[in-house]
Amino acid sequence: MSSSGILLPELTEETAPFWEGTARGELLVQKCDSCGRLRFPPRPVCPWCRSFDATWTAMSGQGTLWSWVIAHPPLLPAYAAQAPYNVIVVQLDEDVSLRMVGNLNDDPEALGIGGTVQVLFPDPIEDVVFPHWVPA
C-alpha cells in the first residue's frame, strides 16, 4: 500500500517487467518460448507446456470490453474521492484468453459489453503506471 492508501502492486521477478513496460507506455505480456502461447497474469511456468522460458512481448493495447461493474462504496478510505468508479475486464485482441482488469475513462454502460477499447497510460501513482482504457 502506498503512503496515500492506494494499493500498489508487488513487484516480483515475474511481475516487474510488466510494470516497467507500463512506465514506458507499453502493454507487455509473457510469450512462452517453447509453445508460443501468450499468458497473463505473469507467472514463472507456462500453464500449457510447463516451460520456464518466456519472452515479454508488446501487445497492441486494443481489446474488447468483456465485463464491468461499478464499485460503491469504496472498500478503502483512499478510494472514497473516486467512488463510485468502474472496474472493467478487457479481452485483448491478440488472444481471447488474455484478459486484464482496469478502469475505463468513460461510462462502461454507454460503451457496452463487446465495445472496443484502447489502452491509455496515465500519470504514475508513486512511480507505478496503472493501465487505463478508453473507447477506441
Side-chain angles (χ1 to χ4, degrees), residues 90-124:
V90 174
Q91 178 179 289
L92 297 184
D93 282 356
E94 285 79 5
D95 186 322
V96 296
S97 70
L98 293 177
R99 296 193 181 110
M100 293 188 175
V101 175
N103 301 106
L104 182 69
N105 289 5
D106 202 351
D107 177 12
E109 188 169 17
L111 180 62
I113 300 296
T116 57
V117 294
Q118 176 70 41
V119 73
L120 170 76
F121 299 99
D123 292 335

Short mmCIF file of all heavy atoms in Angstrom, two decimals, residues 90-124:
data_model
loop_
_atom_site.label_atom_id
_atom_site.label_comp_id
_atom_site.label_asym_id
_atom_site.label_seq_id
_atom_site.Cartn_x
_atom_site.Cartn_y
_atom_site.Cartn_z
N VAL A 90 -10.98 -6.38 -19.73
CA VAL A 90 -10.71 -6.22 -21.16
C VAL A 90 -10.12 -7.50 -21.72
O VAL A 90 -9.17 -8.05 -21.15
CB VAL A 90 -9.73 -5.05 -21.41
CG1 VAL A 90 -9.33 -4.96 -22.88
CG2 VAL A 90 -10.33 -3.74 -20.93
N GLN A 91 -10.71 -7.98 -22.80
CA GLN A 91 -10.15 -9.12 -23.54
C GLN A 91 -9.25 -8.56 -24.63
O GLN A 91 -9.71 -7.79 -25.48
CB GLN A 91 -11.28 -9.93 -24.15
CG GLN A 91 -10.84 -11.10 -24.98
CD GLN A 91 -12.06 -11.84 -25.52
OE1 GLN A 91 -12.77 -12.49 -24.76
NE2 GLN A 91 -12.30 -11.71 -26.80
N LEU A 92 -7.96 -8.89 -24.59
CA LEU A 92 -7.01 -8.33 -25.55
C LEU A 92 -7.22 -8.94 -26.93
O LEU A 92 -7.54 -10.13 -27.06
CB LEU A 92 -5.58 -8.56 -25.09
CG LEU A 92 -5.17 -7.88 -23.78
CD1 LEU A 92 -3.70 -8.12 -23.50
CD2 LEU A 92 -5.47 -6.40 -23.81
N ASP A 93 -7.00 -8.14 -27.97
CA ASP A 93 -7.21 -8.58 -29.35
C ASP A 93 -6.26 -9.71 -29.76
O ASP A 93 -6.62 -10.53 -30.61
CB ASP A 93 -7.03 -7.41 -30.33
CG ASP A 93 -8.24 -6.49 -30.37
OD1 ASP A 93 -9.26 -6.79 -29.70
OD2 ASP A 93 -8.15 -5.46 -31.07
N GLU A 94 -5.09 -9.77 -29.18
CA GLU A 94 -4.10 -10.76 -29.62
C GLU A 94 -4.48 -12.20 -29.28
O GLU A 94 -4.04 -13.13 -29.94
CB GLU A 94 -2.72 -10.45 -29.01
CG GLU A 94 -2.02 -9.29 -29.64
CD GLU A 94 -2.52 -7.93 -29.18
OE1 GLU A 94 -3.37 -7.85 -28.26
OE2 GLU A 94 -2.05 -6.93 -29.74
N ASP A 95 -5.29 -12.39 -28.22
CA ASP A 95 -5.63 -13.74 -27.79
C ASP A 95 -6.87 -13.65 -26.89
O ASP A 95 -6.85 -12.93 -25.90
CB ASP A 95 -4.45 -14.35 -27.02
CG ASP A 95 -4.63 -15.80 -26.65
OD1 ASP A 95 -5.76 -16.21 -26.29
OD2 ASP A 95 -3.64 -16.55 -26.70
N VAL A 96 -7.92 -14.39 -27.22
CA VAL A 96 -9.17 -14.30 -26.45
C VAL A 96 -9.01 -14.77 -25.01
O VAL A 96 -9.85 -14.47 -24.17
CB VAL A 96 -10.33 -15.07 -27.13
CG1 VAL A 96 -10.66 -14.45 -28.48
CG2 VAL A 96 -10.01 -16.55 -27.26
N SER A 97 -7.93 -15.49 -24.71
CA SER A 97 -7.72 -15.94 -23.32
C SER A 97 -7.02 -14.88 -22.47
O SER A 97 -6.90 -15.06 -21.27
CB SER A 97 -6.92 -17.25 -23.29
OG SER A 97 -5.58 -17.03 -23.69
N LEU A 98 -6.56 -13.79 -23.08
CA LEU A 98 -5.87 -12.73 -22.34
C LEU A 98 -6.87 -11.69 -21.89
O LEU A 98 -7.50 -11.01 -22.71
CB LEU A 98 -4.80 -12.06 -23.21
CG LEU A 98 -3.61 -12.89 -23.61
CD1 LEU A 98 -2.69 -12.08 -24.51
CD2 LEU A 98 -2.85 -13.39 -22.40
N ARG A 99 -7.00 -11.55 -20.58
CA ARG A 99 -7.92 -10.56 -20.02
C ARG A 99 -7.19 -9.76 -18.94
O ARG A 99 -6.46 -10.32 -18.14
CB ARG A 99 -9.15 -11.24 -19.44
CG ARG A 99 -9.94 -11.93 -20.54
CD ARG A 99 -11.30 -12.37 -20.11
NE ARG A 99 -11.97 -13.02 -21.22
CZ ARG A 99 -12.22 -14.32 -21.27
NH1 ARG A 99 -11.90 -15.10 -20.26
NH2 ARG A 99 -12.83 -14.84 -22.32
N MET A 100 -7.44 -8.46 -18.95
CA MET A 100 -6.84 -7.56 -17.97
C MET A 100 -7.94 -6.77 -17.27
O MET A 100 -8.95 -6.43 -17.88
CB MET A 100 -5.87 -6.60 -18.63
CG MET A 100 -4.66 -7.26 -19.19
SD MET A 100 -3.46 -6.04 -19.76
CE MET A 100 -2.13 -7.13 -20.19
N VAL A 101 -7.71 -6.47 -16.00
CA VAL A 101 -8.64 -5.67 -15.20
C VAL A 101 -8.11 -4.25 -15.15
O VAL A 101 -6.90 -4.03 -15.03
CB VAL A 101 -8.76 -6.26 -13.78
CG1 VAL A 101 -9.63 -5.39 -12.89
CG2 VAL A 101 -9.31 -7.68 -13.85
N GLY A 102 -9.01 -3.28 -15.24
CA GLY A 102 -8.60 -1.88 -15.17
C GLY A 102 -9.80 -0.99 -15.00
O GLY A 102 -10.86 -1.42 -14.54
N ASN A 103 -9.62 0.26 -15.38
CA ASN A 103 -10.70 1.25 -15.32
C ASN A 103 -10.90 1.84 -16.70
O ASN A 103 -9.94 1.98 -17.46
CB ASN A 103 -10.36 2.38 -14.34
CG ASN A 103 -10.11 1.87 -12.95
OD1 ASN A 103 -8.97 1.83 -12.51
ND2 ASN A 103 -11.15 1.49 -12.25
N LEU A 104 -12.15 2.18 -17.02
CA LEU A 104 -12.49 2.81 -18.28
C LEU A 104 -12.68 4.30 -18.04
O LEU A 104 -13.42 4.68 -17.13
CB LEU A 104 -13.77 2.20 -18.85
CG LEU A 104 -14.22 2.73 -20.21
CD1 LEU A 104 -13.26 2.29 -21.31
CD2 LEU A 104 -15.62 2.24 -20.52
N ASN A 105 -12.02 5.14 -18.82
CA ASN A 105 -12.16 6.58 -18.68
C ASN A 105 -13.41 7.04 -19.43
O ASN A 105 -13.36 7.96 -20.24
CB ASN A 105 -10.92 7.31 -19.21
CG ASN A 105 -9.72 7.12 -18.33
OD1 ASN A 105 -9.76 6.38 -17.35
ND2 ASN A 105 -8.63 7.78 -18.66
N ASP A 106 -14.52 6.39 -19.17
CA ASP A 106 -15.81 6.69 -19.79
C ASP A 106 -16.86 5.86 -19.07
O ASP A 106 -16.55 5.13 -18.13
CB ASP A 106 -15.76 6.34 -21.29
CG ASP A 106 -16.82 7.07 -22.11
OD1 ASP A 106 -17.71 7.72 -21.52
OD2 ASP A 106 -16.77 6.98 -23.34
N ASP A 107 -18.10 5.92 -19.54
CA ASP A 107 -19.19 5.15 -18.95
C ASP A 107 -19.25 3.77 -19.61
O ASP A 107 -19.55 3.67 -20.80
CB ASP A 107 -20.50 5.90 -19.16
CG ASP A 107 -21.71 5.14 -18.65
OD1 ASP A 107 -21.55 4.13 -17.94
OD2 ASP A 107 -22.83 5.56 -18.98
N PRO A 108 -18.97 2.70 -18.87
CA PRO A 108 -18.99 1.37 -19.49
C PRO A 108 -20.38 0.97 -19.98
O PRO A 108 -20.50 0.24 -20.96
CB PRO A 108 -18.50 0.43 -18.39
CG PRO A 108 -18.52 1.20 -17.13
CD PRO A 108 -18.55 2.64 -17.47
N GLU A 109 -21.43 1.47 -19.32
CA GLU A 109 -22.77 1.13 -19.77
C GLU A 109 -23.04 1.72 -21.16
O GLU A 109 -23.66 1.08 -22.01
CB GLU A 109 -23.83 1.62 -18.78
CG GLU A 109 -25.21 1.13 -19.11
CD GLU A 109 -26.20 1.41 -17.99
OE1 GLU A 109 -25.92 2.24 -17.12
OE2 GLU A 109 -27.26 0.78 -18.02
N ALA A 110 -22.54 2.92 -21.41
CA ALA A 110 -22.71 3.54 -22.72
C ALA A 110 -21.90 2.81 -23.79
O ALA A 110 -22.34 2.66 -24.92
CB ALA A 110 -22.30 5.01 -22.66
N LEU A 111 -20.71 2.33 -23.42
CA LEU A 111 -19.88 1.58 -24.37
C LEU A 111 -20.47 0.20 -24.62
O LEU A 111 -20.59 -0.24 -25.75
CB LEU A 111 -18.45 1.47 -23.85
CG LEU A 111 -17.47 0.70 -24.73
CD1 LEU A 111 -17.31 1.39 -26.09
CD2 LEU A 111 -16.12 0.59 -24.04
N GLY A 112 -20.85 -0.48 -23.55
CA GLY A 112 -21.48 -1.79 -23.66
C GLY A 112 -20.49 -2.94 -23.80
O GLY A 112 -19.38 -2.77 -24.30
N ILE A 113 -20.93 -4.10 -23.34
CA ILE A 113 -20.14 -5.32 -23.50
C ILE A 113 -19.90 -5.53 -24.99
O ILE A 113 -20.82 -5.41 -25.80
CB ILE A 113 -20.88 -6.54 -22.90
CG1 ILE A 113 -21.14 -6.34 -21.41
CG2 ILE A 113 -20.11 -7.83 -23.17
CD1 ILE A 113 -19.91 -6.26 -20.54
N GLY A 114 -18.67 -5.83 -25.34
CA GLY A 114 -18.33 -6.02 -26.75
C GLY A 114 -17.79 -4.77 -27.41
O GLY A 114 -17.31 -4.82 -28.54
N GLY A 115 -17.86 -3.62 -26.71
CA GLY A 115 -17.31 -2.38 -27.26
C GLY A 115 -15.79 -2.45 -27.32
O GLY A 115 -15.15 -3.15 -26.53
N THR A 116 -15.21 -1.75 -28.28
CA THR A 116 -13.76 -1.78 -28.43
C THR A 116 -13.10 -0.69 -27.59
O THR A 116 -13.62 0.41 -27.46
CB THR A 116 -13.35 -1.65 -29.90
OG1 THR A 116 -13.89 -0.45 -30.43
CG2 THR A 116 -13.82 -2.83 -30.71
N VAL A 117 -11.94 -1.04 -27.03
CA VAL A 117 -11.20 -0.13 -26.16
C VAL A 117 -9.73 -0.11 -26.56
O VAL A 117 -9.24 -1.01 -27.23
CB VAL A 117 -11.34 -0.52 -24.67
CG1 VAL A 117 -12.77 -0.34 -24.18
CG2 VAL A 117 -10.87 -1.93 -24.41
N GLN A 118 -9.06 0.94 -26.11
CA GLN A 118 -7.63 1.13 -26.34
C GLN A 118 -6.98 1.49 -25.01
O GLN A 118 -7.55 2.24 -24.23
CB GLN A 118 -7.41 2.27 -27.36
CG GLN A 118 -5.97 2.64 -27.61
CD GLN A 118 -5.21 1.58 -28.37
OE1 GLN A 118 -5.72 0.97 -29.28
NE2 GLN A 118 -3.97 1.32 -27.95
N VAL A 119 -5.79 0.96 -24.76
CA VAL A 119 -5.10 1.24 -23.51
C VAL A 119 -4.59 2.67 -23.49
O VAL A 119 -4.29 3.26 -24.53
CB VAL A 119 -3.95 0.23 -23.27
CG1 VAL A 119 -2.76 0.50 -24.18
CG2 VAL A 119 -3.52 0.23 -21.81
N LEU A 120 -4.52 3.21 -22.30
CA LEU A 120 -4.02 4.56 -22.05
C LEU A 120 -3.12 4.46 -20.82
O LEU A 120 -3.42 3.73 -19.88
CB LEU A 120 -5.21 5.49 -21.77
CG LEU A 120 -4.92 6.88 -21.26
CD1 LEU A 120 -4.42 7.76 -22.41
CD2 LEU A 120 -6.19 7.49 -20.67
N PHE A 121 -2.02 5.18 -20.83
CA PHE A 121 -1.09 5.14 -19.71
C PHE A 121 -1.07 6.50 -19.02
O PHE A 121 -0.39 7.42 -19.47
CB PHE A 121 0.31 4.74 -20.17
CG PHE A 121 0.34 3.38 -20.80
CD1 PHE A 121 0.33 3.22 -22.18
CD2 PHE A 121 0.36 2.24 -20.01
CE1 PHE A 121 0.35 1.97 -22.75
CE2 PHE A 121 0.36 0.98 -20.57
CZ PHE A 121 0.37 0.84 -21.95
N PRO A 122 -1.85 6.67 -17.93
CA PRO A 122 -1.91 7.96 -17.23
C PRO A 122 -0.65 8.22 -16.42
O PRO A 122 0.28 7.42 -16.40
CB PRO A 122 -3.13 7.79 -16.33
CG PRO A 122 -3.22 6.33 -16.07
CD PRO A 122 -2.69 5.66 -17.32
N ASP A 123 -0.65 9.35 -15.74
CA ASP A 123 0.48 9.69 -14.89
C ASP A 123 0.67 8.64 -13.80
O ASP A 123 -0.31 8.04 -13.33
CB ASP A 123 0.27 11.06 -14.23
CG ASP A 123 0.31 12.19 -15.24
OD1 ASP A 123 0.95 12.03 -16.30
OD2 ASP A 123 -0.30 13.23 -14.98
N PRO A 124 1.91 8.41 -13.39
CA PRO A 124 2.17 7.40 -12.35
C PRO A 124 1.61 7.79 -10.98
O PRO A 124 1.46 8.97 -10.67
CB PRO A 124 3.69 7.30 -12.30
CG PRO A 124 4.21 8.49 -13.00
CD PRO A 124 3.13 9.04 -13.87
#
